[in-house]
């Protein structure tokens, strides 16, 4: 029974990376920020009401609503992910959007290479290419993380091209 399960899973992965956007604030932290902003807005709105500056009240409310909408959009973007899986059969890149829609790209393993394009004043662009095409990966990563991923992918492609076989007869 375990042989059929192992056969259905395919070859073991040589390299696997799960990339997600970094968010330093949790959902609970976002609610705390909203509460502090609402309390500050209430304080300023009350002060403006007593001073008779009624137009400021509307702008203050609009600022609060805009901040809540932008924070919510930022937190929704954290649901995106990218999975890079390298096996002996090939490379698979699976992207998930914040809305949950998935796209998958498969590439043959023969001519895989990593390209890191340096652009002055911006993050380098990391892409994986072969004879069939080029796919940009790691867009949610910073500069150091992209360089680390490029090095790890380069090592994984080298391991794919020159496998080491374990022969018990040649061991000491």
């Amino acid at each position: 029974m375990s042989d059929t399960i192992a056969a259905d899973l395919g070859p073991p992965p040589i390299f696997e990376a799960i990339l997600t956007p970094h968010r330093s604030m949790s959902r609970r932290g976002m609610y705390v920020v909203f509460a502090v902003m609402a309390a500050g807005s209430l304080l300023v709105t009350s002060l403006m009401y007593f001073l008779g500056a009624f137009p400021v009240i509307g702008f203050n409310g609009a600022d609060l609503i805009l901040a809540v909408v932008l924070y919510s959009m930022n937190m929704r973007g954290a649901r995106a992910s990218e999975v890079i899986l390298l096996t002996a059969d090939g490379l698979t890149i699976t992207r998930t959007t914040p809305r949950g829609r998935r796209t998958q790209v498969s590439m043959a393993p023969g001519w895989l290479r990593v390209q890191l394009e340096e652009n002055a004043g911006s993050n380098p662009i990391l892409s994986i290419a072969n004879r069939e095409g080029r796919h940009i990966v790691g867009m949610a990563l910073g500069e150091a993380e992209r360089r680390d991923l490029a090095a790890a992918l380069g090592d994984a492609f080298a391991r794919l091209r020159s496998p080491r076989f374990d022969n018990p007869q040649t061991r000491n």
Side-chain angles (χ1 to χ4, degrees):
M1 183 168 137
S2 63
D3 293 334
T4 57
I5 292 173
D8 292 339
L9 295 177
I14 297 170
F15 177 82
E16 182 177 18
I18 301 172
L19 311 175
T20 56
H22 174 70
R23 296 296 185 261
S24 60
M25 190 181 323
S26 66
R27 190 164 294 280
R28 182 173 179 245
M30 184 176 71
Y31 290 136
V32 169
V33 168
F34 288 163
V36 169
M37 287 172 51
S41 178
L42 182 62
L43 179 69
V44 170
T45 301
S46 300
L47 180 63
M48 292 300 129
Y49 176 77
F50 289 123
L51 292 175
F54 298 110
V56 175
I57 296 171
F59 286 111
N60 198 13
D63 284 349
L64 184 62
I65 291 170
L66 180 64
V68 168
V69 167
L70 292 177
Y71 266 109
S72 299
M73 288 173 58
N74 185 15
M75 293 305 285
R76 185 178 62 207
R79 292 186 288 189
S81 67
E82 190 172 23
V83 177
I84 301 171
L85 180 67
L86 177 66
T87 63
D89 292 342
L91 179 81
T92 304
I93 302 169
T94 306
R95 292 184 179 96
T96 305
T97 65
R99 294 183 181 209
R101 195 178 82 205
R102 287 193 170 169
T103 58
Q104 188 170 358
V105 175
S106 296
M107 301 173 82
W111 297 92
L112 289 173
R113 66 187 179 281
V114 177
Q115 297 175 337
L116 193 64
E117 294 178 23
E118 300 288 339
N119 295 325
S122 66
N123 282 340
I125 297 173
L126 176 62
S127 61
I128 300 173
N130 68 356
R131 296 171 73 178
E132 296 145 6
R134 173 180 173 238
H135 298 281
I136 296 174
V137 295
M139 292 302 291
L141 300 176
E143 181 178 355
E145 291 88 5
R146 286 185 192 179
R147 292 183 192 284
D148 290 344
L149 180 61
L153 280 168
D155 291 343
F157 293 162
R159 282 195 314 268
L160 177 69
R161 289 186 193 101
S162 60
R164 295 194 181 266
F165 298 102
D166 183 28
N167 187 348
Q169 296 174 350
T170 60
R171 289 187 204 155
N172 289 332

